[in-house]
Amino acid sequence: SGKTAVIQQKIISTTKNSPNYQGVIAITFTKKASEELKKRCTKNGNDTKLSFFGTIDSFCLTEIILPFLSRIWGGRPEDCKIVKKLSSDQMNYFKTDYKTPTYEDLRLDNGFKKLYENGILWMSSFAALSVLILNESSSVRQYIKTRYTHVFIDEYQDSSRSQHELFMKLFELGLIATAVGDTDQSIYQFRGSDPKYLTKLINDEN
């Protein structure tokens, strides 16, 4: 209990003495939860500097995919259509069916790049695509390290493998990483989430 209050206090104390050009990444599972966290962190005039508050998909899209995808795949990601669900024709680009693709899936299946070249960004691939960009672009790594000092993720028990890979990648870049959750409250396993990734963090496993 009190997970959000813990994150709130950590964000306030972290950003209090941060320079104006930096902030933290604060990721929650829903837009509503994100708005509430931001409201809590900025009340009484608290300045969170250049912090990001939002869902993991919105972070991936605005901070990594739109600014940096063109550096590895060319094209204009800002002109792409964002879809939550692929049509049967769009799914035919892939070698197999994916629920929540991982970094390894994107690396081995050229269908994801073909989908992008045809003007489609699939939301379920955002975390994996962000890991791919972080691995291949030094510019995005430098941007993230310069802009953010910490990453906080709430409801970590609902993270998928690709989201866990992204969290670990941000940690590897040098960001101080904090995840909170409850393995007994996982409700999205039907779409690829798994509380085992929270357990891995508790047990200090990758």
Side-chain angles (χ1 to χ4, degrees):
S1 63
K3 298 190 301 293
T4 303
V6 170
I7 291 180
Q8 171 193 344
Q9 291 304 317
K10 283 183 174 290
I11 291 173
I12 291 173
S13 63
T14 297
T15 55
K16 191 173 184 179
N17 298 313
S18 297
N20 290 330
Y21 63 85
Q22 286 185 321
V24 304
I25 302 165
I27 290 174
T28 53
F29 204 74
T30 66
K31 291 180 180 179
K32 183 177 180 180
S34 173
E35 290 167 359
E36 177 61 25
L37 179 60
K38 184 176 182 178
K39 183 178 178 181
R40 287 190 185 194
C41 291
T42 55
K43 72 177 182 179
N44 299 325
N46 291 317
D47 184 1
T48 56
K49 313 294 171 59
L50 293 183
S51 295
F52 174 91
F53 292 86
T55 64
I56 194 162
D57 286 333
S58 63
F59 171 75
C60 291
L61 182 66
T62 61
E63 295 298 285
I64 299 178
I65 296 173
L66 291 182
F68 296 101
L69 179 57
S70 62
R71 294 173 183 252
I72 64 169
W73 279 358
R76 290 174 54 85
E78 64 272 22
D79 293 339
C80 288
K81 179 181 179 181
I82 299 169
V83 299
K84 289 185 177 181
K85 186 176 181 180
L86 297 176
S87 68
S88 56
D89 288 341
Q90 291 165 345
M91 292 179 68
N92 286 334
Y93 286 111
F94 305 132
K95 297 176 181 178
T96 187
D97 291 336
Y98 299 103
K99 186 184 295 181
T100 52
T102 65
Y103 160 70
E104 193 70 4
D105 294 330
L106 265 72
R107 195 177 68 83
L108 297 177
D109 192 336
N110 196 48
F112 291 96
K113 185 177 181 182
K114 289 181 179 178
L115 186 69
Y116 166 67
E117 290 171 345
N118 280 273
I120 300 295
L121 286 172
W122 182 28
M123 193 175 292
S124 293
S125 70
F126 280 7
L129 185 54
S130 295
V131 174
L132 180 72
I133 297 169
L134 283 164
N135 281 337
E136 297 193 13
S137 171
S138 59
S139 297
V140 68
R141 293 194 296 271
Q142 186 60 44
Y143 167 74
I144 294 295
K145 290 190 293 184
T146 302
R147 173 76 178 265
Y148 300 110
T149 59
H150 295 63
V151 54
F152 299 90
I153 299 186
D154 198 5
E155 306 295 355
Y156 203 84
Q157 74 277 357
D158 291 320
S159 294
S160 64
R161 177 180 170 183
S162 58
Q163 291 168 345
H164 176 68
E165 290 174 344
L166 175 59
F167 181 74
M168 295 307 300
K169 187 66 184 179
L170 295 173
F171 173 67
E172 290 170 11
L173 288 178
L175 275 67
I176 298 173
T178 302
V180 297
D182 184 341
T183 55
D184 292 330
Q185 294 183 10
S186 181
I187 58 175
Y188 292 101
Q189 295 185 50
F190 68 93
R191 65 185 192 190
S193 301
D194 197 321
K196 74 179 182 182
Y197 298 114
L198 178 59
T199 304
K200 283 177 177 288
L201 294 181
I202 295 170
N203 296 330
D204 198 24
E205 303 172 3
N206 288 333

